[in-house]
């Protein structure tokens, strides 16, 4: 027998019992006549004592070092009262070792478990990094999350149905990972960016409620909360409205937070995309931050300050302000740093105004732009932003998107820098009513979510006549500034689907080539259907208190989409490439 008990499960009730433990040396202390180790397994840590009463075990213990894999046979004894460790779950007991077996010695570790290692070191030796209790706990929490999700979905009548990994490329907003076919020379499969079309086809097949915890793949630029392969909790339903889908998914997330960290998220507020952008400059606003943006374009249309006047009189422009309570202590040096920061988002500058006396008129404020403002305009601005003595007001003035992006980012930075963001809170919400389309870099219309999203209260004819006015029947769930899930009511009318394709510049030939199977399926009694997908990695990231998605994935990739441990991707065998009819061409 290799084990009778887990290290972390022992307590006073086990005193006097003979136990067999298997695990790793977490720490070793040699006190001359006695040797102590902390022994670790998947359940936790317990102290083991090697005593001269058992000389052979004591002699063997002299060779132990951190991360040796060992087996201990011994007796559970009580620690003396003055040696109880209240910081350990097993701190009232220890093991008096009778026998020691060394399964496997360890070389000098390339990671220092007591200090911060670089992320490159941690990823290269990931199997060692995952031995750290905090990393192990994150993966245990992830398993707990998926277990809860499966139980919830089963109880609510959802079927777990797999969809293909080797499929056809569909537009989802990123590049596809392509897989060459050996049998069909010159042809390629695409790894799915999501199971979007398959889950819609399952609704057309009559399955009513589907879910899947599924791998998805996107070849896009990475950051802390993105990976080239990621996991979705994918959901689709028939004959449910958008509010009904949101209610079920809200119940799921509400239960998940209660079950995992015992936090009651309460009722989720609902906010339109337009309101979120107007007030917070983001379609995933962090409501823990109390700062808000306020549009003042109408107040500054007549001022003799072209920086304000020009965008204020431009239909596509915006002048907006952020009031920072008690912010007048912000120095010029800090203001210059914030000016540089908003420049990242395209802003040409950052106007500011300190309110030394809110009732003092122009004499009560300090600002380079004060000379351009009349008493009436200043008073109107101060009233609209609800200014108080001691505040500072920052202004953005440019095209609507530039102003909104720049001040939205500044809002988040100010919240962090000034300690205004309430980090110990949870603030969820639904954002709904997104625009159906947005302009890409070339000025062409693109689907804001994906081209299978249904417009809200628009006929095909109305949509084709005025696509930029259409609102999508779409919804995102946001928690603390992270989009954790998003979905929509889908198009179930073939005429509407073809209209959307035309608006996106997909001609009839391309429609048939790329989506012929979908357009055919839509002709045969397709039910109204709607769905949503959660990012499992991002949910786990939030629930485990880390800001890096790589911390909750067992074997993640770097921001360059590489695996440092296995050295993937790697060059393919020339013979394998020949069988696939693929040639590697060196870039000029």
């Amino acid at each position: 027998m290799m084990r009778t008990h887990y290290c972390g499960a022992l307590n006073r009730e086990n005193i006097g019992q003979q136990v067999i433990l298997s695990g790793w040396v977490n720490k070793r202390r040699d006190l001359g006549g006695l040797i102590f180790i902390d022994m670790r397994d998947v359940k936790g840590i317990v102290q083991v004592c090697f005593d001269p009463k058992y000389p052979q075990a004591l002699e063997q213990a002299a060779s132990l070092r951190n991360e040796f894999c060992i087996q201990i046979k011994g007796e559970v004894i009580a620690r003396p009262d003055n040696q109880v460790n209240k910081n350990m779950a097993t701190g009232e007991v220890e093991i008096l070792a009778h026998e020691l077996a060394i399964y496997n010695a360890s070389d000098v570790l390339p990671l220092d478990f007591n200090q911060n290692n670089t992320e490159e070191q941690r990823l290269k030796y990931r199997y060692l990094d995952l031995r750290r209790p905090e990393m192990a706990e994150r993966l245990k929490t992830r398993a707990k999350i998926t277990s809860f999700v499966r139980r919830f979905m089963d109880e609510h009548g959802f079927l777990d149905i797999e969809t293909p990994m080797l499929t056809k490329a569909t537009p989802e907003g990123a590049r596809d990972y392509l897989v060459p076919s050996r049998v069909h020379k010159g042809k390629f499969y695409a790894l799915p960016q999501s199971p979007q079309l398959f889950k819609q086809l399952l609704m057309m097949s009559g399955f009513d409620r589907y879910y899947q915890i599924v791998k998805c793949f996107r070849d896009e630029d990475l950051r802390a909360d993105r990976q080239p392969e990621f996991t979705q909790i994918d959901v689709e339903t028939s004959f449910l409205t958008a509010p009904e889908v949101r209610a079920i998914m809200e119940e799921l997330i509400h239960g998940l937070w209660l079950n995992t960290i015992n936090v009651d998220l309460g009722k989720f507020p609902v906010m339109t995309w337009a309101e979120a952008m107007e007030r917070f400059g983001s379609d995933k606003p962090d409501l823990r931050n109390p700062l808000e943006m306020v549009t003042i374009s109408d107040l500054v249309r007549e001022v003799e300050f072209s920086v304000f006047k020009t965008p204020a009189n431009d239909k596509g422009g915006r002048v907006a302000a952020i009031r920072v309570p008690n912010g007048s202590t912000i120095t010029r040096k800090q203001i210059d740093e914030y000016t540089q920061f908003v420049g990242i988002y395209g802003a040409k500058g950052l106007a500011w105004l300190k309110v030394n006396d809110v009732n003092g008129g122009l004499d009560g404020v300090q600002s380079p732009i004060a000379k351009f403002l009349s008493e009436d305009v200043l008073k109107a601005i101060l009233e609209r932003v609800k200014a108080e003595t001691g505040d500072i007001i920052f202004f953005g003035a440019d095209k609507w998107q530039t102003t909104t992006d720049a001040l939205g980012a500044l809002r988040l930075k100010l919240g962090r820098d000034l300690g205004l963001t309430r980090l110990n809170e949870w603030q969820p919400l639904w954002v709904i009513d997104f625009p159906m389309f947005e302009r890409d870099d070339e000025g062409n219309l693109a689907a804001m979510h994906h081209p299978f999203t249904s417009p809200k209260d628009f006929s095909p004819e109305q949509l084709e006549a005025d696509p930029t006015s259409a609102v999508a029947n779409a919804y995102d769930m946001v928690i603390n500034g992270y989009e954790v899930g998003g979905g929509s009511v889908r198009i179930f009318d073939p005429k509407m689907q073809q209209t959307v394709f035309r608006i996106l510049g997909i001609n009839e030939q391309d429609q048939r080539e790329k989506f012929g199977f979908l357009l055919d399926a839509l002709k045969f009694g397709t039910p109204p259907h709607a769905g949503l997908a959660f990012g499992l990695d991002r949910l786990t990231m939030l629930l485990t208190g880390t800001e890096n998605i790589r911390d909750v994935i067992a074997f993640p990739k770097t921001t360059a989409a590489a695996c440092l441990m296995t050295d993937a991707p790697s060059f393919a065998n020339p013979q394998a490439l020949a069988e696939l009819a693929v040639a590697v061409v060196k870039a000029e």
Side-chain angles (χ1 to χ4, degrees):
M1 181 181 291
M2 302 184 80
R3 167 191 282 151
T4 60
H5 296 74
Y6 283 99
C7 297
L10 296 171
N11 54 47
R12 293 189 64 84
E13 294 180 3
N14 302 106
I15 290 173
Q17 293 180 9
Q18 301 295 314
V19 297
I20 303 173
L21 307 177
S22 289
W24 288 267
V25 177
N26 197 64
K27 189 186 293 184
R28 176 183 175 275
R29 301 178 298 284
D30 192 334
L31 304 183
L34 295 172
I35 293 176
F36 289 90
I37 66 166
D38 287 348
M39 185 172 176
R40 185 189 74 246
D41 64 16
V42 72
K43 298 290 187 182
I45 296 175
V46 69
Q47 180 170 283
V48 179
C49 172
F50 295 90
D51 187 283
K53 293 178 187 175
Y54 301 94
Q56 185 176 354
L58 179 62
E59 182 181 348
Q60 285 179 282
S63 68
L64 294 178
R65 296 294 182 269
N66 286 7
E67 298 309 309
F68 274 41
C69 187
I70 63 173
Q71 182 192 68
I72 295 291
K73 294 181 180 179
E75 180 184 355
V76 182
I77 61 174
R79 287 202 199 188
D81 290 343
N82 63 343
Q83 293 179 23
V84 169
N85 186 343
K86 294 181 180 177
N87 296 320
M88 286 174 64
T90 60
E92 292 184 299
V93 298
E94 63 185 8
I95 310 303
L96 178 60
H98 300 168
E99 297 178 36
L100 165 64
I102 299 175
Y103 289 134
N104 202 317
S106 173
D107 284 349
V108 176
L109 295 171
L111 296 183
D112 183 346
F113 281 26
N114 297 313
Q115 301 197 17
N116 290 327
N117 300 284
T118 66
E119 189 171 42
E120 287 75 13
Q121 287 174 301
R122 290 176 54 206
L123 293 178
K124 183 173 179 60
Y125 299 99
R126 188 60 161 186
Y127 44 86
L128 295 178
D129 188 45
L130 291 177
R131 290 185 189 176
R132 295 190 298 125
E134 60 266 39
M135 291 300 295
E137 281 304 314
R138 287 173 183 145
L139 292 191
K140 290 178 193 175
T141 299
R142 183 181 177 118
K144 186 177 179 181
I145 290 167
T146 57
S147 176
F148 179 88
V149 169
R150 291 192 187 283
R151 290 197 309 273
F152 179 94
M153 300 306 280
D154 289 346
E155 290 166 4
H156 286 74
F158 288 83
L159 285 177
D160 181 1
I161 306 176
E162 290 185 349
T163 53
M165 283 288 137
L166 297 175
T167 182
K168 190 169 183 173
T170 57
E172 295 274 356
R175 294 183 188 90
D176 291 306
Y177 280 101
L178 299 177
V179 180
S181 169
R182 181 184 59 81
V183 176
H184 305 281
K185 304 290 187 189
K187 293 187 176 181
F188 294 81
Y189 300 102
L191 297 180
Q193 295 187 34
S194 82
Q196 180 61 48
L197 293 184
F198 285 107
K199 65 181 180 178
Q200 288 189 241
L201 290 166
L202 286 170
M203 296 304 101
M204 299 171 198
S205 304
F207 282 102
D208 200 68
R209 294 190 180 193
Y210 139 97
Y211 88 99
Q212 189 181 184
I213 298 178
V214 61
K215 279 285 186 187
C216 303
F217 306 86
R218 294 186 183 182
D219 186 4
E220 58 187 346
D221 294 334
L222 307 183
R223 58 189 186 213
D225 61 342
R226 278 187 181 168
Q227 282 282 290
E229 51 179 319
F230 57 96
T231 307
Q232 279 187 184
I233 303 168
D234 203 49
V235 181
E236 197 75 11
T237 68
S238 293
F239 306 113
L240 290 182
T241 64
E244 288 171 328
V245 172
R246 294 202 305 268
I248 296 173
M249 296 299 99
E250 184 174 323
E251 184 184 348
L252 168 63
I253 298 302
H254 190 273
L256 189 56
W257 252 249
L258 270 176
N259 182 69
T260 309
I261 57 173
N262 198 30
V263 166
D264 185 347
L265 291 174
K267 181 70 177 170
F268 291 20
V270 179
M271 183 182 298
T272 65
W273 176 88
E275 181 184 354
M277 299 301 289
E278 174 78 13
R279 293 172 59 191
F280 306 109
S282 172
D283 58 6
K284 46 181 185 292
D286 187 348
L287 299 186
R288 299 172 302 167
N289 181 334
L291 301 179
E292 293 195 21
M293 296 163 53
V294 179
T295 297
I296 59 164
S297 301
D298 59 309
L299 303 180
V300 294
R301 288 194 177 115
E302 305 302 325
V303 299
E304 295 303 316
F305 183 42
S306 61
V307 172
F308 280 7
K309 186 175 184 177
T310 301
N313 287 281
D314 180 353
K315 187 179 178 182
R318 183 184 186 190
V319 184
I322 295 178
R323 175 181 77 91
V324 183
N326 303 310
S328 61
T329 56
I330 293 175
T331 65
R332 271 307 298 267
K333 181 173 181 285
Q334 289 172 299
I335 291 172
D336 290 342
E337 289 171 357
Y338 290 132
T339 303
Q340 279 188 310
F341 175 76
V342 296
I344 298 169
Y345 298 88
K348 300 178 185 68
L350 182 66
W352 55 273
L353 184 147
K354 290 186 177 183
V355 185
N356 299 323
D357 178 3
V358 74
N359 297 311
L362 286 169
D363 293 333
V365 300
Q366 174 190 351
S367 170
I369 66 168
K371 61 188 176 185
F372 300 109
L373 306 177
S374 67
E375 292 279 358
D376 289 344
V377 168
L378 175 66
K379 182 181 178 184
I381 291 172
L382 295 180
E383 286 180 354
R384 182 165 294 180
V385 302
K386 298 182 171 60
E388 297 179 6
T389 298
D391 294 346
I392 189 172
I393 303 167
F394 289 109
F395 300 90
D398 211 305
K399 292 295 183 182
W400 183 92
Q401 193 68 54
T402 302
T403 298
T404 302
D405 289 347
L407 287 190
L410 179 63
R411 169 184 174 268
L412 293 177
K413 184 167 176 57
L414 287 166
R416 289 191 299 268
D417 291 354
L418 305 179
L420 300 172
T421 302
R422 302 179 294 272
L423 298 177
N424 60 340
E425 289 187 8
W426 292 100
Q427 290 288 348
L429 80 154
W430 287 103
V431 178
I432 66 169
D433 293 356
F434 289 77
M436 185 78 175
F437 303 102
E438 58 185 346
R439 297 281 179 187
D440 62 19
D441 294 339
E442 284 77 43
N444 300 315
L445 285 179
M448 181 166 268
H449 272 69
H450 54 61
F452 318 109
T453 297
S454 178
K456 209 171 188 180
D457 304 322
F458 261 62
S459 68
E461 293 75 20
Q462 290 170 320
L463 186 67
E464 195 140 32
D466 189 12
T468 57
S469 296
V471 169
N473 202 349
Y475 35 83
D476 282 358
M477 182 187 287
V478 178
I479 300 179
N480 290 2
Y482 288 95
E483 178 200 330
V484 297
S488 66
V489 172
R490 320 304 188 187
I491 295 170
F492 62 98
D493 169 37
K495 186 177 180 182
M496 177 65 80
Q497 186 64 77
Q498 288 176 301
T499 300
V500 169
F501 285 154
R502 279 198 303 275
I503 290 169
L504 295 174
I506 305 172
N507 62 40
E508 286 193 23
Q509 182 179 340
D510 285 344
Q511 289 179 32
R512 288 305 311 174
E513 183 180 330
K514 294 178 180 178
F515 307 107
F517 65 96
L518 174 69
L519 294 172
D520 288 342
L522 286 170
K523 298 174 185 175
F524 299 110
T526 297
H529 56 288
L532 180 142
F534 289 109
L536 175 61
D537 310 300
R538 201 168 289 179
L539 288 173
T540 308
M541 186 179 80
L542 287 172
L543 284 164
T544 56
T546 179
E547 294 184 349
N548 189 332
I549 210 163
R550 291 186 286 279
D551 284 342
V552 299
I553 298 171
F555 300 104
K557 305 290 191 294
T558 65
T559 52
C563 175
L564 298 181
M565 185 181 67
T566 63
D567 199 26
S570 58
F571 290 106
N573 182 298
Q575 183 178 345
L577 290 178
E579 288 180 353
L580 293 167
V582 171
V584 176
V585 180
K586 289 186 178 180
E588 291 295 332

